[in-house]
Amino acid sequence: QQPVQSPQAVILREGEDAVINCSSSKALYSVHWYRQKHGEAPVFLMILLKGGEQKGHDKISASFNEKKQQSSLYLTASQLSYSGTYFCGTEPRSGYALNFGKGTSLLVTP
Amino acid sequence: GAGVSQSPRYKVAKRGQDVALRCDPISGHVSLFWYQQALGQGPEFLTYFQNEAQLDKSGLPSDRFFAERPEGSVSTLKIQRTQQEDSAVYLCASSIGQGLSEQYFGPGTRLTVT
């Protein structure tokens, strides 16, 4: 079941903050966040497990509401390099393949 | 260390030709995944392996698609009698297997069927 991401697109000025949301209708084991720049491979940002464990980059934060099966990615003090398409991927059970959302396009302008 | 590599990076095939796409995962990674990504869309699951065992191939769109990982490392995705709708980027990812286990993606193979 494909998770739903919102918003579809965001335009920010450098230094502004943004929140990207991901929701699933199914119970989840984990949520993964990736950023993909045009023509490149998706790059890992964060993984959040049910139960509270998480791993990711220091400058990226995210939350996972297990009751609502929702996750949010928080981008603070955005930089030009944050531009790209952000995908959430949901994992129904440990070690399984990810179901990806359609992506959120983020553009950071000077 | 080396990341996930894929070859070829670009492939143009005439409709009806067979193609083989290769993925070299990160050494020691147990799980290997194949995804198909259409333009402007998120990756869509095709199939995945734990070591040499293909645990799920429910995402393969037709019986023209076949994947293998005979020795639990390198994997090949084969598409027989290619059709125009097969044109996409094919991404391979690997992970250590379980728990806090992110997937590392290769650069993908862009397949264009003419």
Side-chain angles (χ1 to χ4, degrees), chain A residues 29 32 34 36 39-42 44 47 49 53-55 87 94-98 100-102, chain B residues 9 31 33 35 37 40-43 45 48 50 91 97-103 105-107:
Chain A
Y29 172 75
H32 301 222
Y34 289 81
Q36 187 176 32
E40 298 180 10
F44 169 74
I47 177 173
L49 299 188
E53 278 190 281
Q54 58 178 254
K55 179 168 74 171
F87 293 101
S94 176
Y96 268 58
L98 297 174
F100 284 94
K102 292 190 175 183
Chain B
R9 290 292 313 277
S31 298
F33 307 86
Y35 296 90
Q37 187 173 27
Q41 300 294 316
F45 166 71
Y48 101 98
Q50 260 191 31
L91 294 166
Q98 293 194 344
L100 279 172
S101 176
E102 64 269 36
Q103 294 184 19
F105 281 83

Side-chain angles (χ1 to χ4, degrees), chain B residues 21-58:
Chain B
L21 312 180
R22 177 187 168 106
C23 173
D24 281 88
I26 293 172
S27 178
H29 276 195
V30 169
S31 298
L32 184 146
F33 307 86
W34 283 99
Y35 296 90
Q36 181 190 60
Q37 187 173 27
L39 192 63
Q41 300 294 316
E44 287 196 13
F45 166 71
L46 293 176
T47 184
Y48 101 98
F49 294 84
Q50 260 191 31
N51 297 306
E52 68 278 4
Q54 189 174 21
L55 296 190
D56 189 349
K57 55 181 181 180
S58 62

Side-chain angles (χ1 to χ4, degrees), chain A residues 10-24:
Chain A
V10 185
I11 299 176
L12 298 175
R13 286 192 180 272
E14 207 171 358
E16 291 182 337
D17 302 339
V19 180
I20 301 172
N21 301 301
C22 174
S23 64
S24 173

Side-chain angles (χ1 to χ4, degrees), chain A:
Chain A
Q1 194 91 20
Q2 186 177 45
V4 177
Q5 288 187 233
S6 63
Q8 287 187 330
V10 185
I11 299 176
L12 298 175
R13 286 192 180 272
E14 207 171 358
E16 291 182 337
D17 302 339
V19 180
I20 301 172
N21 301 301
C22 174
S23 64
S24 173
S25 59
K26 301 281 188 181
L28 300 175
Y29 172 75
S30 73
V31 178
H32 301 222
W33 287 95
Y34 289 81
R35 177 172 59 217
Q36 187 176 32
K37 294 184 182 280
H38 184 69
E40 298 180 10
V43 173
F44 169 74
L45 296 176
M46 288 283 295
I47 177 173
L48 304 103
L49 299 188
K50 69 175 186 179
E53 278 190 281
Q54 58 178 254
K55 179 168 74 171
H57 293 278
D58 291 341
K59 297 186 178 181
I60 302 281
S61 64
S63 63
F64 179 22
N65 184 324
E66 293 175 39
K67 286 185 180 178
K68 294 185 177 180
Q69 305 303 321
Q70 292 177 349
S71 178
S72 295
L73 184 72
Y74 305 99
L75 303 170
T76 57
S78 59
Q79 303 172 18
L80 296 176
S81 62
Y82 287 11
S83 294
T85 302
Y86 289 76
F87 293 101
C88 71
T90 55
E91 189 180 14
R93 281 190 280 173
S94 176
Y96 268 58
L98 297 174
N99 295 311
F100 284 94
K102 292 190 175 183
T104 296
S105 175
L106 178 74
L107 176 64
V108 181
T109 62

Side-chain angles (χ1 to χ4, degrees), chain B residues 58-112:
Chain B
S58 62
L60 296 176
S62 78
D63 58 8
R64 296 185 295 104
F65 287 70
F66 172 76
E68 60 183 3
R69 194 186 185 197
E71 296 177 0
S73 55
V74 170
S75 177
T76 304
L77 176 67
K78 297 179 180 177
I79 309 173
Q80 296 178 323
R81 304 182 303 282
T82 52
Q83 304 293 315
Q84 283 191 318
E85 61 263 28
D86 300 335
S87 296
V89 175
Y90 290 85
L91 294 166
C92 173
S94 70
S95 76
I96 58 171
Q98 293 194 344
L100 279 172
S101 176
E102 64 269 36
Q103 294 184 19
Y104 292 89
F105 281 83
T109 295
R110 181 177 294 278
L111 173 66
T112 303

